């Protein structure tokens, strides 16, 4: 194995470092000027960022749309939550749980590893089928996975509480933890993109027959990328459960899928930089719109309360990007390439 | 015996509803390769148009029905002009995402301009009465629904076989460029497909409204998701496939509800989607669709 990095991989390190600086600057700005309610917004943004960067790994490099990520995130969140919640608390929140699920508790690290492991195995099992299919077949099966997992969440109320909240999860993570996770995620995703696997995967996306002719094992690399992607979603799910204290099935369905997919395609799904910028832009846009939604007073004019405005914005962004900017803001380029071109 | 007949009718009417919506999806897909997820919002729009017409004009149910059909056709054609024309040449995924985007926009417009809560619109409920035939009690709505679907499929078949536009639409599914070279306007063919899709949505809307008696922003999403599954099972873009898939799904859903114990009722959707995933893995192009004939019509 040759461990020295080639040029694009060294560039990748620089690019990831620049993106990490942006993330750190955001966190720094919060600690200096921010108010405490903004910690929640920032944390949610970073959870979304983990998901979107994970989406980029499979969806961006393979150029195949998949919608099942919130299902994997939900599975990891529930596994982590069920393992880490103290048994005394679970006796109240999950009184009917079968198999002694409410009679044990594990340390946060073991819970997180278990959640990663279970989600990873499920990712592998689904990936065995997903990697065989092409194009829109993947999209349809991923929708099927999403619907199946959601029905199970809703049906087994004794384990998952369905649409009610599963509460009592201790708060383990805070802003510093997720900041580190996000930075690690950016580096991993970028290095994956520039690794031999990533290059091969992007080659299949551009010309599958050509890539096969060059000896690329399309099935194998799609499977690897799919599993790596699910691990990102699992991390996001764990981070979500470890911060909020309560989870329910509702957030892990189509709305969240559309939100994250919109973030990815706005930034441009072929680059990690695009994933990061798309997430930040949509989050900022949505925060402004949410404030308008509540009917604020602007220039001494009282605006009416407008529910649904944020959803409207999201839909318009998706339609407009698809129509006028199919490659997103960043297209195929990463941040260090843009910076070099400028100087 | 009457229990069996009752369940068969249930399966047929469920199937008819799915087949109607699936046909609306398939006809657009066969011509321009677009999975039109905004179809459900056209159905919901039909429901809102009922309220508008009933308050402004008249609450006569027969006029309302014509109004619903007209508004659905209009909505469908306008959507094509405004949103889908720009992505006509794009790949499947772009189209799919655009359709999801349009669907989100419309749902939130209904939310913003209408109400987040269901709004009552009960003018069609009279269609749903309990009939007693001999010693079997059936719902009249189920009979109307099955009958109307069969008639609609027959008329659609006639249209596609006997009229120039219909023949052009069948040809466009196979080779759009050739149709254009023969001097048929591309815009007209595609607008025609969307108009038919809107008409089918309007028909589905009437029956859905007769059953629900109220309209809500998200009411179109689940039926279209199921109809989409029906299309996948039958082979996307194949019209007979869409009908077959719709009825198969209706039968599966009723079978799951009848055969599994009551407490597993919530798992019907999971069962259906598992079926889809397995079919796709077994035959990636759907049951009725050997890869070459994809898009072939009735």
């Amino acid at each position: 194995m040759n461990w020295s990095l080639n040029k694009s991989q060294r560039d990748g390190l620089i690019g990831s470092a620049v993106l990490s600086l942006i993330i750190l600057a955001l966190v720094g700005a919060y600690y200096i000027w921010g108010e405490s309610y903004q910690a929640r917004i920032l944390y949610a943004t970073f959870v979304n960022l983990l998901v979107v960067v994970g989406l980029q790994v499979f969806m961006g490099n393979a150029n195949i749309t998949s919608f099942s990520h919130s299902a994997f995130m939900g599975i990891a969140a529930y596994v982590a939550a069920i393992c880490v919640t103290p048994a005394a608390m679970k006796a109240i929140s999950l009184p009917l749980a079968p198999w002694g699920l409410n009679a044990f508790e594990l340390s946060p690290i073991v819970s997180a590893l278990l959640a990663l492991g279970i989600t990873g195995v499920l990712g592998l099992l689904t990936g065995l089928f997903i990697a065989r299919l092409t194009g829109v077949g993947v999209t349809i099966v991923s929708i099927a996975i999403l619907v199946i997992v959601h029905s199970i969440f809703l049906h087994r109320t004794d384990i998952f509480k369905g649409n009610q909240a599963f509460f009592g999860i201790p708060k383990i993570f805070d802003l510093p933890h997720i900041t580190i996770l996000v930075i690690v995620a950016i580096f991993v995703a970028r290095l994956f993109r520039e690794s031999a696997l990533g290059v091969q995967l992007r080659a299949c996306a551009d010309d599958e027959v050509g890539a096969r002719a060059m000896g690329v094992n399309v099935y194998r690399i799609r499977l690897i990328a799919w599993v790596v992607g699910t691990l990102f979603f699992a991390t996001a799910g764990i981070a979500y459960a470890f911060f909020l204290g309560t989870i329910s099935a509702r957030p892990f369905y189509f709305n969240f899928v559309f939100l994250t997919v919109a973030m990815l395609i706005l930034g441009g799904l072929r680059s990690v930089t695009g994933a990061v910028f798309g997430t930040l832009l949509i989050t900022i846009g949505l925060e402004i719109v949410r404030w308008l939604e509540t009917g604020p007073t602007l220039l001494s004019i009282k605006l009416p309360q407008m529910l649904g405005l944020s959803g409207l914005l999201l839909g318009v962004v998706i339609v407009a990007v698809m129509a006028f900017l199919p490659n997103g803001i960043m297209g195929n380029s990463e941040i260090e390439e843009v910076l070099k071109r400028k100087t | 015996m009457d229990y069996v007949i009752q369940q068969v009718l249930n399966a047929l009417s469920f199937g008819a509803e799915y087949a109607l919506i699936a046909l609306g999806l398939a006809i657009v897909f066969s011509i321009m390769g677009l999975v039109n997820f905004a179809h459900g919002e056209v159905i919901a729009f039909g429901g809102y148009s009922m309220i508008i017409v009933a308050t402004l004009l008249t609450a006569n149910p027969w006029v309302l029905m014509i109004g619903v059909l007209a508004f659905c056709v209009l909505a469908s054609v306008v959507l094509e002009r405004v949103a889908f024309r720009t992505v006509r040449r794009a790949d499947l995924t772009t189209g799919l995402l655009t359709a999801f985007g349009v669907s989100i926009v419309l749902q939130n417009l209904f939310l913003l301009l209408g109400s987040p809560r269901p709004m009552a619109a009960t003018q069609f409920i009279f269609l749903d009465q309990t009939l007693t035939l001999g010693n079997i009690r059936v719902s009249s709505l189920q009979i109307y629904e099955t009958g109307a679907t069969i008639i609609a499929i027959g008329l659609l078949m006639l249209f596609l076989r006997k009229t120039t536009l219909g023949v052009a639409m069948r040809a466009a599914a196979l080779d759009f460029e050739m149709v254009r070279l023969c001097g048929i306007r591309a815009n007209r063919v595609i607008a025609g497909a969307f108009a038919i899709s809107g008409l089918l949505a309007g028909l589905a809307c009437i029956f859905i409204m007769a059953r629900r008696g109220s309209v809500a922003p998200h009411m179109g999403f689940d039926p279209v998701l199921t109809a989409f599954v029906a299309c996948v099972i039958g082979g996307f873009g194949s019209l007979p496939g869409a009908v077959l898939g719709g009825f198969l799904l209706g039968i599966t859903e009723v079978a799951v509800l009848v055969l599994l114990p009551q407490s597993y009722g919530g798992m019907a959707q999971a069962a259906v989607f598992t079926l889809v995933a397995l079919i796709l893995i077994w035959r990636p192009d759907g049951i009725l669709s050997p890869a070459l004939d994809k898009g072939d019509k009735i």
Side-chain angles (χ1 to χ4, degrees):
Chain A
M1 199 79 180
N2 179 10
W3 285 103
S4 67
L5 300 173
N6 64 27
K7 179 163 182 313
S8 60
Q9 285 162 344
R10 283 196 301 272
D11 283 351
L13 285 180
I14 298 170
S16 316
V18 175
L19 290 176
S20 307
L21 282 180
I22 295 176
I23 298 295
L24 285 175
L26 274 176
V27 177
Y30 160 72
Y31 277 118
I32 298 172
W33 297 294
E35 295 178 37
S36 55
Y37 76 92
Q38 285 162 336
R40 240 180 137 80
I41 298 174
L42 204 54
Y43 195 92
T45 312
F46 285 171
V47 170
N48 292 345
L49 195 55
L50 279 177
V51 176
V52 177
V53 169
L55 268 181
Q56 199 277 333
V57 169
F58 179 79
M59 204 168 138
N61 290 324
N63 199 15
I64 296 173
T65 309
S66 99
F67 286 143
S68 55
H69 45 282
S70 60
F72 291 111
M73 188 181 161
I75 293 169
Y78 272 110
V79 173
I82 289 172
C83 290
V84 82
T85 308
M89 191 49 126
K90 276 193 285 194
I92 307 169
S93 62
L94 292 178
L96 303 171
W99 313 313
L101 279 180
N102 54 4
F104 73 102
E105 59 184 272
L106 298 170
S107 75
I109 294 178
V110 179
S111 310
L113 286 178
L114 202 63
L116 272 178
I118 289 177
T119 318
V121 169
L122 286 175
L124 183 67
L125 290 178
T126 49
L128 289 175
F129 297 107
I130 289 274
R132 278 167 192 283
L133 301 164
T134 49
V136 84
V138 175
T139 315
I140 298 168
V141 174
S142 71
I143 291 178
I145 295 173
L146 180 65
V147 174
I148 293 168
V149 171
H150 189 71
S151 320
I152 294 173
F153 282 162
L154 289 189
H155 178 67
R156 293 305 299 253
T157 42
D158 50 345
I159 308 176
F160 302 113
K161 306 283 282 182
N163 268 333
Q164 285 173 300
F166 173 87
F167 55 87
I169 311 163
K171 184 174 170 181
I172 297 158
F173 274 15
D174 215 330
L175 213 46
H177 302 90
I178 191 127
T179 312
I180 296 168
L181 281 180
V182 164
I183 290 175
V184 171
I186 289 174
F187 271 95
V188 173
R190 186 64 206 274
L191 288 179
F192 181 85
R193 183 179 184 265
E194 308 300 346
S195 70
L197 281 171
V199 173
Q200 288 176 5
L201 195 57
R202 283 186 283 152
C204 311
D206 291 336
D207 182 352
E208 193 179 326
V209 179
R212 275 184 204 278
M214 298 297 286
V216 174
N217 185 342
V218 178
Y219 178 75
R220 184 173 143 262
I221 54 168
R222 277 201 188 136
L223 180 59
I224 294 174
W226 177 261
V227 176
V228 172
T230 45
L231 293 179
F232 275 84
F233 309 145
T235 314
I238 296 165
Y240 182 87
F242 278 6
F243 179 75
L244 275 185
T246 60
I247 54 177
S248 74
R250 197 189 298 268
F252 304 118
Y253 206 39
F254 274 106
N255 283 346
F256 185 74
V257 169
F258 291 140
L259 174 71
T260 45
V261 168
M263 288 170 169
L264 184 62
I265 61 176
L266 173 67
L269 50 82
R270 295 186 67 101
S271 75
V272 178
T273 313
V276 175
F277 283 1
T279 311
L280 296 181
L281 274 178
I282 293 219
T283 309
I284 295 168
L286 281 183
E287 280 311 316
I288 295 171
V289 169
R290 283 213 183 100
W291 170 73
L292 281 177
E293 234 172 19
T294 55
T297 313
L298 203 63
L299 300 173
S300 71
I301 302 166
K302 177 86 177 80
L303 295 174
Q305 197 178 345
M306 293 172 285
L307 286 174
L309 209 59
S310 52
L312 195 67
L313 174 85
L314 207 59
V316 169
V317 166
I318 295 180
V319 176
V321 169
M322 284 290 116
F324 306 115
L325 206 71
N327 293 320
I329 296 171
M330 295 305 292
N332 206 6
S333 47
E334 294 279 1
I335 188 162
E336 77 278 356
E337 299 169 75
V338 178
L339 291 177
K340 269 181 198 164
R341 241 177 276 153
K342 289 262 169 65
T343 49
Chain B
M1 185 61 204
D2 18 324
Y3 181 70
V4 175
I5 292 179
Q6 182 57 54
Q7 294 306 336
V8 167
L9 250 172
N10 270 338
L12 275 181
S13 72
F14 271 144
E17 187 183 310
Y18 296 148
L20 268 185
I21 304 175
L23 264 180
L25 290 181
I27 198 157
V28 167
F29 183 87
S30 69
I31 289 174
M32 61 178 283
L34 172 79
V35 185
N36 184 10
F37 261 95
H39 198 66
E41 278 56 52
V42 174
I43 296 176
F45 179 75
Y48 283 103
S49 75
M50 251 176 91
I51 296 180
I52 296 170
V53 175
T55 16
L56 293 184
L57 214 62
T58 162
N60 179 332
W62 306 106
V63 180
L64 272 185
M65 276 183 203
I66 295 170
V68 166
L69 292 178
F71 272 105
C72 283
V73 170
L74 188 74
S76 189
V77 173
V78 167
L79 280 187
E80 190 272 326
R81 184 68 196 86
V82 175
F84 296 128
R85 192 164 283 190
T86 44
V87 293
R88 193 182 282 176
R89 290 171 183 284
D91 60 317
L92 256 175
T93 310
T94 311
L96 184 73
L97 285 173
T98 310
F100 270 124
V102 171
S103 148
I104 299 171
V105 168
L106 288 177
Q107 278 181 16
N108 285 290
L109 274 181
F110 298 149
L111 209 76
L112 204 60
L113 305 177
S115 154
R117 297 174 176 287
M119 296 166 82
T122 51
Q123 287 87 349
F124 295 159
I125 285 201
F126 75 97
L127 291 173
D128 195 4
Q129 282 158 349
T130 308
L131 299 181
T132 317
L133 303 172
N135 52 1
I136 311 164
R137 294 160 67 83
V138 294
S139 148
S140 60
L141 182 66
Q142 294 184 330
I143 295 172
Y144 293 142
E145 195 162 12
T146 314
T149 304
I150 292 169
I151 293 171
I153 292 171
L155 287 178
L156 184 61
M157 205 159 83
L158 272 181
F159 170 78
L160 288 174
R161 286 183 178 273
K162 300 293 177 197
T163 64
T164 314
L165 187 60
V167 173
M169 283 167 66
R170 282 166 62 209
L174 292 176
D175 188 344
F176 205 163
E177 285 311 306
M178 192 62 215
V179 174
R180 298 181 65 185
L181 287 178
C182 291
I184 308 261
R185 279 170 195 267
N187 284 348
R188 195 168 294 171
V189 175
I190 291 181
F194 271 90
I196 292 177
S197 154
L199 197 63
L200 293 167
L203 207 53
C205 174
I206 292 175
F207 291 119
I208 292 176
M209 292 304 293
R211 193 171 300 136
R212 288 175 51 113
S214 70
V215 48
H218 304 283
M219 73 180 230
F221 194 79
D222 277 340
V224 167
L225 203 58
T226 320
F228 171 66
V229 171
C231 288
V232 173
I233 293 176
F236 230 123
S238 146
L239 300 193
V243 175
L244 175 84
F247 279 103
L248 265 182
L249 268 192
I251 294 167
T252 316
E253 213 171 301
V254 171
V256 169
L257 289 177
V258 171
L259 297 179
L260 288 184
Q262 192 86 49
S263 62
Y264 281 86
M267 295 306 280
Q269 215 183 8
V272 164
F273 274 87
T274 312
L275 186 76
V276 172
L278 291 178
I279 284 180
L280 265 184
I281 290 155
W282 169 53
R283 285 190 90 155
D285 287 314
I287 296 177
L288 266 202
S289 193
L292 246 186
D293 285 354
K294 209 194 287 185
D296 205 1
K297 296 281 180 40
I298 293 171

